[in-house]
């Protein structure tokens, strides 16, 4: 072979390399080759190719001991200078073509092209959602242009992944050309490090704009739940952007630059760039999945679970290489733990409803706060029907649940065959709630008020079931009929406990006597009957005007039912015996009310405040 001394091609190439040596040339320090005339860049790359050919030939000849050691050292020095320069050029191209991403448009794109509906029950509407047309004109949503040499890319986007054009095609071609020379010269590690450091900085910047904080698992678990709820909402939106746009676009950029220069080099650069941010992203969800369980966390955990489930195919598509196994595994494990947390919370919620310990009766027999909380809770549970049907796989055994334990209710499952495990859970929670309420009703000293309390609360349960199509469908008409029957039975029991004794005063028995009285009626007993009726009605009126039926229709129905029993009986009694009282002294002391007075008085009942 020809040595550097008698190789004119090498000598010309060496001059070009040394001209741009930034350690020895002022021009090399002040200017970037790829920032000037395109011809300059092509000439420099040709010079590098010539030096590499000389180095390769020298290496072959060296095996036959035909090359002087000084010549070999000279070539090695020249290639080192060239590689140092190319490393600087590579870094500079990356830096000058790394621009800030338009985060708002990334949110828009991630949401608009989601492969499924946005996570339900995010507490705030996503005000940033816009159509594809409005976002597609923005620079960072332009379709990627490929260099001719990058057509061999094997990565394919899914319907939910939208890649952002991170760099112009010309810059990609320059980076690819430089990478090919550096890797051919044995500078793979340096190439990857430079690429990773610049692009990682860009990803970190995007992370900050997306609102993803650098929190350890311990940091997350120390936060109050109220603060975490907002962070979970932001995480869900940011995770869609990160996986479907940010990470996917970084992967595509790596493939465009490195795919044609060697197997797995593009993946190595991609992992170098995004592994740290990806771990940071998923550590937040992991911290939530292993945090302490409590009922209020269920719905945000389900939101998180649904979001991650929706993203899992995209995670597997973006992190599809062996070197990114750990990220795929972490995401799958978090999903599994979130599912387990949701199942555990639901089970613990059942037990909490059963054991809720409050013993102080609610004033006026109105709806207990526990009833409102539980029914609102399971109405929300029904909104997550499909998710929870998938999560709750273990069906309770048929027969009686907790049968024989006096501290828990019995529940027959024979008539519930065919119900989903989730439906059985919800029905069981309602059964448990009624059992608890029945226990609370016993703390009322007034039996009538205890029945009114049960009527109010079971009626509220019925209305919540009727008001939720999902909940009504799952629990079924038979369950609803039983609940309706229970609150009507409570209403009947209330009327019996309150009005049987009142109406008993209006009976004929005991009033008729035999003797010299032409009327055959004992005025003394009759007067006592009217006095007793008046006193009993006044006491009922005084107390029950302070009792409360919150539901207006139920309140009116019960008043009508009372009036239909009370008024005809009073009118009939008054019609039969009025003359006996009015013929005596001070009739006004005994006949204090007309039927119309009673009808008006009944309208005061169940308003929750003393009647005037």
């Amino acid at each position: 072979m020809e040595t550097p001394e008698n190789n004119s091609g090498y000598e010309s190439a060496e001059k070009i390399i040394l001209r741009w040596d930034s350690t020895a040339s002022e021009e090399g320090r002040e200017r970037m080759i790829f920032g000037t005339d395109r011809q300059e860049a092509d000439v420099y790359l040709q010079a590098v190719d010539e030096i590499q050919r000389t180095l390769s030939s020298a290496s072959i000849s060296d095996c036959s001991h035909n090359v002087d050691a000084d010549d070999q050292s000279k070539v090695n020095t020249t290639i080192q200078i060239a590689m140092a320069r190319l490393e600087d050029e590579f870094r500079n191209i990356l830096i000058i073509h790394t621009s800030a991403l338009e985060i708002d448009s990334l949110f828009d794109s991630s949401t608009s092209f989601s492969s499924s509906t946005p996570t339900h029950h995010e507490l705030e509407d996503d005000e940033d959602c816009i159509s594809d047309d409005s976002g597609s004109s923005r620079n960072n949503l332009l379709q990627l242009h490929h260099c001719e040499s990058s057509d061999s890319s094997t990565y394919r986007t899914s319907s939910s992944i939208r890649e952002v054009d991170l760099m112009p095609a010309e810059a990609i071609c320059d980076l690819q050309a430089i990478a090919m020379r550096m890797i051919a010269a044995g500078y793979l590690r340096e190439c990857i490090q430079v690429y990773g450091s610049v692009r990682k900085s860009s990803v970190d910047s995007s992370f900050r704009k997306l609102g993803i904080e650098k929190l350890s698992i311990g940091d997350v678990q120390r936060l109050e739940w109220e603060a975490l709820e907002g962070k979970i909402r932001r995480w869900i939106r940011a995770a869609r952007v990160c996986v479907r746009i940010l990470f996917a676009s970084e992967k595509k950029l790596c493939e465009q630059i490195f795919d044609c220069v060697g197997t797995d080099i593009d993946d190595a650069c991609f992992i170098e760039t995004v592994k740290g941010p990806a771990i940071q992203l998923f550590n937040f969800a992991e911290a939530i999945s292993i945090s302490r369980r409590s009922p209020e966390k269920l719905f945000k955990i389900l939101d998180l679970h649904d979001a991650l489930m929706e993203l899992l195919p995209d995670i597997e598509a973006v992190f599809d290489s062996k070197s990114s196994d750990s990220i795929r595994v972490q995401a799958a494990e978090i999903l599994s733990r979130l599912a387990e947390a949701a199942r555990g919370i639901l089970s613990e919620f059942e037990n909490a409803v059963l054991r809720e310990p409050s013993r102080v009766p609610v004033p006026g027999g109105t709806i207990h706060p526990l009833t409102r909380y539980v029914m609102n809770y399971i109405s929300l549970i029904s909104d997550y029907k499909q998710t929870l049907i998938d999560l709750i796989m273990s069906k309770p055994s048929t027969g009686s649940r907790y049968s024989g334990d006096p501290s828990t209710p019995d529940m027959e499952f024979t008539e519930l065959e065919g119900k989903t495990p989730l439906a059985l859970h919800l029905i069981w929670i309602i059964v448990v709630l009624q059992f608890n309420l029945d226990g609370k009703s016993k703390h009322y000293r007034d039996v009538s008020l205890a029945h009114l309390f049960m009527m109010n609360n079971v009626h509220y349960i019925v209305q919540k079931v009727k008001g939720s199509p999902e909940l009504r469908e799952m629990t079924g008409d038979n369950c609803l009929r039983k609940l309706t029957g229970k609150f009507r039975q409570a209403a009947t029991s209330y009327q019996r406990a309150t009005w049987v004794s009142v109406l008993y005063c209006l009976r004929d028995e005991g009033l008729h006597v035999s003797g010299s009285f032409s009327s055959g009626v004992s005025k003394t007993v009759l007067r006592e009957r009217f006095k007793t009726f008046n006193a009993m009605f006044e006491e009922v009126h005084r107390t029950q005007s302070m009792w409360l039926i919150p539901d207006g229709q139920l309140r009116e129905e019960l008043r009508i039912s009372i009036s239909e029993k009370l008024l005809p009986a009073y009118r009939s009694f008054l019609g039969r015996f009025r003359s006996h009282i009015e013929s005596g002294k001070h009739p006004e002391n005994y006949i204090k009310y007309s039927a119309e007075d009673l009808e008006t008085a009944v309208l005061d009942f169940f308003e929750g405040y003393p009647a005037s």
Side-chain angles (χ1 to χ4, degrees):
M1 74 160 259
E2 294 186 46
T3 60
E5 283 78 1
N6 52 23
N7 184 344
S8 59
Y10 169 81
E11 292 175 354
S12 298
E14 182 185 33
K15 289 179 181 178
I16 295 170
I17 300 301
L18 295 178
R19 172 192 168 196
W20 291 99
D21 181 3
S22 59
T23 64
S25 164
E26 184 176 350
E27 182 181 20
R29 286 191 295 271
E30 293 179 352
R31 294 173 57 202
M32 300 303 295
I33 304 172
F34 286 80
T36 57
D37 192 307
R38 294 297 312 162
Q39 188 175 355
E40 290 275 14
D42 292 339
V43 167
Y44 191 85
L45 291 175
Q46 291 170 11
V48 172
D49 291 342
E50 180 63 32
I51 299 297
Q52 286 182 322
R53 279 195 297 272
T54 302
L55 180 63
S56 177
S57 298
S59 297
I60 294 172
S61 299
D62 187 41
C63 294
S64 303
H65 307 288
N66 293 328
V67 177
D68 184 86
D70 291 338
D71 292 337
Q72 182 72 51
S73 175
K74 186 176 182 181
V75 175
N76 286 336
T77 300
T78 305
I79 201 67
Q80 288 171 8
I81 293 170
M83 290 302 109
R85 183 71 206 196
L86 286 181
E87 183 178 325
D88 290 341
E89 296 286 339
F90 193 77
R91 180 184 293 105
N92 185 65
I93 295 170
L94 286 171
I95 291 172
I96 64 176
H97 291 290
T98 296
S99 57
L101 297 176
E102 296 178 20
I103 295 303
D104 286 344
S105 65
L106 297 186
F107 276 129
D108 299 338
S109 178
S110 177
T111 304
S112 298
F113 292 104
S114 172
S115 59
S116 61
T117 56
T119 308
H120 36 229
H121 285 292
E122 291 186 3
L123 298 183
E124 296 174 354
D125 293 333
D126 189 350
E127 69 278 4
D128 294 324
C129 293
I130 60 173
S131 67
D132 178 30
D133 292 339
S134 63
S136 61
S137 62
R138 295 178 181 172
N139 289 336
N140 62 331
L141 294 179
L142 293 175
Q143 202 170 22
L144 279 175
H145 298 289
H146 302 277
C147 293
E148 289 183 2
S149 56
S150 65
D151 286 343
S152 60
S153 171
T154 59
Y155 183 67
R156 295 293 179 266
T157 61
S158 73
S159 60
S160 56
I161 291 175
R162 287 297 179 270
E163 299 158 354
V164 173
D165 190 5
L166 295 177
M167 289 190 183
E170 186 178 84
I172 290 172
C173 289
D174 288 341
L175 290 168
Q176 187 181 77
I178 294 172
M180 290 176 66
R181 273 78 179 178
M182 291 183 69
I183 293 166
Y187 283 74
L188 171 61
R189 184 172 59 86
E190 288 81 358
C191 187
I192 292 174
Q193 286 177 345
V194 170
Y195 183 89
S197 65
V198 175
R199 293 307 306 169
K200 190 186 298 183
S201 175
S202 174
V203 174
D204 288 343
S205 175
S206 297
F207 255 47
R208 288 191 296 273
K209 292 178 181 179
L210 288 167
I212 299 176
E213 303 173 63
K214 287 189 176 181
L215 298 173
S216 67
I217 290 177
D219 292 335
V220 173
Q221 293 185 331
R222 282 189 289 271
L223 288 171
E224 293 294 329
W225 180 246
E226 290 75 11
L228 278 178
E229 284 185 301
K231 292 184 185 298
I232 289 172
R233 282 197 302 274
R234 288 194 295 273
W235 186 91
I236 290 171
R237 297 180 69 211
R240 292 189 183 117
V241 172
C242 285
V243 173
R244 292 172 171 167
I245 301 178
L246 194 60
F247 294 160
S249 298
E250 289 292 339
K251 181 181 179 71
K252 190 66 175 182
L253 181 62
C254 287
E255 290 178 342
Q256 289 176 304
I257 297 171
F258 298 105
D259 194 42
C260 61
V261 296
T263 306
D264 295 334
I265 295 174
D266 57 331
D267 187 60
C269 287
F270 172 62
I271 294 303
E272 176 76 13
T273 302
V274 305
K275 187 172 184 178
I279 291 172
Q280 179 188 334
L281 178 72
F282 292 121
N283 276 350
F284 177 85
E286 183 172 359
I288 300 298
S289 73
I290 60 177
S291 63
R292 186 179 63 84
R293 297 171 183 174
S294 56
E296 72 274 8
K297 295 181 179 180
L298 176 63
F299 304 110
K300 280 300 167 194
I301 284 177
L302 291 176
D303 283 343
L304 205 54
H305 175 276
D306 285 354
L308 195 55
M309 175 69 80
E310 176 190 324
L311 282 172
L312 200 59
D314 302 320
I315 292 169
E316 291 173 348
V318 174
F319 298 97
D320 60 347
S321 65
K322 185 174 179 59
S323 59
S324 54
D325 275 348
S326 61
I327 295 173
R328 294 197 308 277
V329 169
Q330 183 185 18
E333 288 179 347
I334 292 169
L335 191 67
S336 177
R337 282 195 291 268
L338 287 169
E340 181 58 35
R343 287 191 292 268
I345 288 173
L346 192 56
S347 177
E348 290 173 17
F349 179 70
E350 293 176 5
N351 190 58
V353 173
L354 179 64
R355 307 298 179 192
E356 199 280 328
S358 61
R359 293 175 176 270
V360 179
V362 292
T366 188
I367 299 164
H368 198 282
L370 177 66
T371 307
R372 293 185 187 277
Y373 179 78
V374 171
M375 293 310 299
N376 289 336
Y377 196 85
I378 66 174
S379 292
L380 284 173
I381 287 175
S382 68
D383 290 342
Y384 289 82
K385 179 178 72 172
Q386 193 53 55
T387 299
L388 286 168
I389 284 175
D390 294 338
L391 293 185
I392 301 173
M393 303 302 294
S394 57
K395 181 179 179 180
S397 58
T398 56
S400 296
R401 191 167 184 177
Y402 300 120
S403 179
D405 184 351
S407 65
T408 56
D410 289 340
M411 179 173 169
E412 292 293 335
F413 283 95
T414 53
E415 60 189 35
L416 297 174
E417 288 295 333
K419 295 287 186 187
T420 66
L422 176 60
L424 294 177
H425 272 279
L426 297 184
I427 294 170
W428 173 245
I429 290 173
I430 292 173
V431 169
V432 166
L433 173 60
Q434 291 180 81
F435 182 81
N436 190 312
L437 292 170
D438 191 57
K440 294 184 188 305
S441 73
K442 293 177 172 56
H443 297 298
Y444 288 101
R445 294 181 180 179
D446 191 316
V447 176
S448 296
L449 184 55
H451 291 310
L452 190 83
F453 169 79
M454 288 303 296
M455 180 197 70
N456 270 329
N457 282 269
V458 178
H459 180 265
Y460 183 84
I461 294 171
V462 168
Q463 293 306 107
K464 292 298 287 188
V465 172
K466 286 182 175 179
S468 169
E470 295 283 359
L471 184 55
R472 182 169 185 170
E473 179 188 354
M474 282 191 288
T475 55
D477 291 338
N478 187 54
C479 177
L480 190 58
R481 280 193 296 270
K482 284 189 172 184
L483 288 168
T484 301
K486 189 172 181 66
F487 96 74
R488 293 196 183 282
Q489 180 184 12
T492 301
S493 297
Y494 152 78
Q495 292 190 65
R496 185 179 297 117
T498 299
W499 296 103
V500 165
S501 57
V502 176
L503 293 174
Y504 192 68
C505 298
L506 305 178
R507 73 192 187 282
D508 286 4
E509 290 82 2
L511 292 177
H512 297 280
V513 295
S514 59
S516 59
F517 294 101
S518 60
S519 65
V521 173
S522 170
K523 290 186 177 181
T524 301
V525 176
L526 184 60
R527 290 190 186 103
E528 192 60 33
R529 287 279 181 88
F530 271 106
K531 287 177 67 176
T532 302
F533 173 83
N534 294 337
M536 293 183 71
F537 182 79
E538 286 165 3
E539 178 61 18
V540 171
H541 180 263
R542 183 186 67 80
T543 57
Q544 298 197 15
S545 63
M546 292 186 290
W547 296 358
L548 179 62
I549 300 179
D551 185 89
Q553 182 177 346
L554 179 61
R555 183 169 61 244
E556 184 61 24
E557 286 178 359
L558 191 56
R559 286 171 177 170
I560 291 171
S561 180
I562 292 169
S563 296
E564 287 175 346
K565 293 177 175 64
L566 175 64
L567 299 182
Y570 186 73
R571 283 194 182 99
S572 176
F573 189 80
L574 199 60
R576 294 195 305 276
F577 300 109
R578 176 193 293 270
S579 60
H580 298 286
I581 298 298
E582 289 179 341
S583 64
K585 296 179 180 179
H586 306 294
E588 70 278 1
N589 290 340
Y590 308 103
I591 303 177
K592 296 178 66 174
Y593 303 106
S594 66
E596 289 72 23
D597 293 333
L598 295 184
E599 186 174 16
T600 301
V602 169
L603 298 178
D604 293 332
F605 284 28
F606 319 125
E607 290 288 350
Y609 51 83
S612 57

